[in-house]
Amino acid sequence: MRPVPPDPLALLRVPGPAEAYPAEPSDEEVARQVGLDPRQVVRFDMNTLGGGPLPGAARGLAAYSAARLVEYGDQAYRRLRAAISGVTGVPPQRIVPGAGADELIRLVTGMTVGPGDAVLVPTPTFPMFAVEARLAGAEVIEVARREPRERQPVERIGSAARVNRARLVWLCSPNNPTGDAFPRAEIEAMVAALPAIVVVDAVYQELAEASLGLGPEALSLVPLQDRHPNLVVLRSLAKAYGLAGARVGYLVVAEALATRFDASRLPLAIGGPSEAAAIGALDEPEVARERHRLMVGERRRLSDALAARGWEVLPSVTNFVLVRPPTDAARLADALLKRGLVLRSWSSGPLREWLRITARAPHENDRLLTALAEVGERP
């Protein structure tokens, strides 16, 4: 009698269907869908840094020898850590590199929670926090804003974390998709009060610095880690350094956690070409800051233009803005998509009447404003 093969789904640790990250279509897919050349597609939906690659990143990548592709790189990432340390002032041993923020979200989640544990996620926010928590078998406790205009519900977040005994709390600051940020004093109060690992996703911090006209020290959460070692800071080069395609991110952890986190990360997750581009970009921080100022200026220009047209525009300290048009958001997004202009929209939930728009290069933003006049965004 032939043995009955096991059900492979029953062998998986996480029961039921896993919630996947809502992936956006590629430029080629968008172009094929609307009958355009991929070069005509402009992504206002990805929050990436407009204006093309930073010169230092391009030089770093060009200098990477193809002959090195057959060899492994430095597993300790000594040069990359030194470059990050030079920009942030964080000791290299407290920097944990990874293949973009996504891998590091998985690393933190897997090290902190498992089946039966609770993870607290204020919403709306970056979906990967909840996706990775559920993959780890944890329960996701969502603290939702009553509507997008509401300020971050700090008291409700803290209360829900305590009541549900959350082991892991995610705070996105500045927050995607709303563009606002927690005051540092509120973050410190929450970290001090909760017996949990509190991770602040600060991948838009450099853009907040440019928006507020502040230096890196003014918004840095790293000094808090000396008093609150349960605070973990997530950073990325995807947004601020225009390296979304390179997949380079890092955690900043307290000295007490550094060895454990570094031992748990994947070795060589960042490829050699990506590391070279990152080191090149980090070598010119003032060039990056000038780009941040440009993109923040463009975000303000877009916001003012849309507000003048009667749109509701939420305050933002990032390179993107959450807006509510005076007509059906889904219809408007579809009309712009036919012109190769991709905006972030939501088909359901509290954001279904809203759009998120990333500021890009001036000529691309002009193209968007012209298209809005053509399609007629009024009711």
Side-chain angles (χ1 to χ4, degrees):
M1 183 176 177
R2 186 174 297 177
V4 178
D7 177 4
L9 289 177
L11 300 176
L12 299 180
R13 182 171 60 87
V14 180
E19 178 189 352
Y21 178 76
E24 302 296 333
S26 67
D27 291 2
E28 290 74 18
E29 290 173 304
V30 170
R32 188 163 52 249
Q33 177 183 342
V34 298
L36 295 175
D37 187 299
R39 291 171 294 184
Q40 295 176 278
V41 174
V42 183
R43 305 303 298 242
F44 292 94
D45 62 329
M46 294 294 194
N47 295 348
T48 48
L49 190 68
L54 293 172
R59 286 195 298 272
L61 183 59
Y64 186 83
S65 170
R68 294 164 62 190
L69 289 173
V70 300
E71 306 293 347
Y72 290 111
D74 175 17
Q75 183 173 326
Y77 298 121
R78 292 176 182 85
R79 292 183 62 230
L80 177 59
R81 281 174 149 144
I84 296 171
S85 177
V87 171
T88 63
V90 177
Q93 69 273 15
R94 290 173 53 193
I95 296 167
V96 183
D102 294 339
E103 187 208 344
L104 297 166
I105 292 169
R106 176 166 292 186
L107 172 65
V108 173
T109 304
M111 290 185 66
T112 309
V113 299
D117 294 325
V119 176
L120 190 133
V121 180
T123 60
T125 195
F126 187 45
M128 285 302 294
F129 306 147
V131 169
E132 292 299 334
R134 292 188 175 105
L135 284 173
E139 179 185 7
V140 176
I141 309 298
E142 295 188 356
V143 178
R145 302 191 198 198
R146 295 179 180 91
E147 49 94 21
R149 306 172 192 83
E150 182 187 9
R151 187 176 176 274
Q152 289 275 18
V154 176
E155 292 185 1
R156 288 196 288 126
I157 292 170
S159 176
R162 287 188 291 272
V163 168
N164 292 280
R165 299 181 180 179
R167 291 180 58 87
L168 177 61
V169 175
W170 287 99
L171 304 176
C172 190
S173 184
N175 185 52
N176 173 21
T178 53
D180 58 345
F182 288 91
R184 185 162 60 172
E186 292 184 352
I187 291 176
E188 181 170 19
M190 205 176 310
V191 173
L194 295 178
I197 293 292
V198 179
V199 189
V200 178
D201 177 343
V203 302
Y204 297 100
Q205 180 178 310
E206 292 92 342
L207 292 151
E209 293 163 3
S211 292
L212 300 172
L214 299 173
E217 315 78 30
L219 298 182
S220 176
L221 299 172
V222 172
L224 303 182
Q225 292 177 320
D226 293 336
R227 299 189 298 276
H228 309 292
N230 59 320
L231 170 64
V232 173
V233 180
L234 173 64
R235 304 292 298 272
S236 170
L237 276 66
K239 315 301 184 186
Y241 287 88
L243 290 173
R247 313 308 301 135
V248 181
Y250 62 97
L251 298 172
V252 180
V253 299
E255 193 73 45
L257 297 176
T259 301
R260 286 286 301 278
F261 269 83
D262 194 43
S264 301
R265 65 174 173 82
L266 285 174
L268 297 170
I270 302 172
S274 293
E275 183 181 19
I279 292 170
L282 289 163
D283 191 46
E284 298 179 340
E286 188 49 48
V287 174
R289 292 187 190 106
E290 182 56 37
R291 179 70 63 81
H292 304 157
R293 289 188 284 267
L294 173 62
M295 290 302 106
V296 166
E298 284 298 301
R299 187 260 300 157
R300 289 177 178 141
R301 183 168 74 93
L302 273 177
S303 296
D304 291 345
L306 295 174
R309 293 170 181 262
W311 293 44
E312 182 173 358
V313 180
L314 295 192
S316 173
V317 294
T318 66
N319 63 329
F320 62 85
V321 63
L322 190 65
V323 295
R324 184 178 182 182
T327 188
D328 181 78
R331 183 199 68 78
L332 182 58
D334 185 62
L336 292 169
L337 181 67
K338 290 180 172 62
R339 289 162 168 77
L341 308 178
V342 190
L343 276 60
R344 180 68 168 96
S345 61
W346 291 265
S347 59
S348 61
L351 295 177
R352 64 185 178 277
E353 298 176 350
W354 297 77
L355 299 169
R356 192 191 67 201
I357 304 176
T358 308
R360 295 185 59 91
H363 71 280
E364 293 171 321
N365 297 330
D366 288 341
R367 183 179 162 192
L368 173 62
L369 293 173
T370 300
L372 285 173
E374 292 171 351
V375 301
E377 76 274 27
R378 296 190 177 280

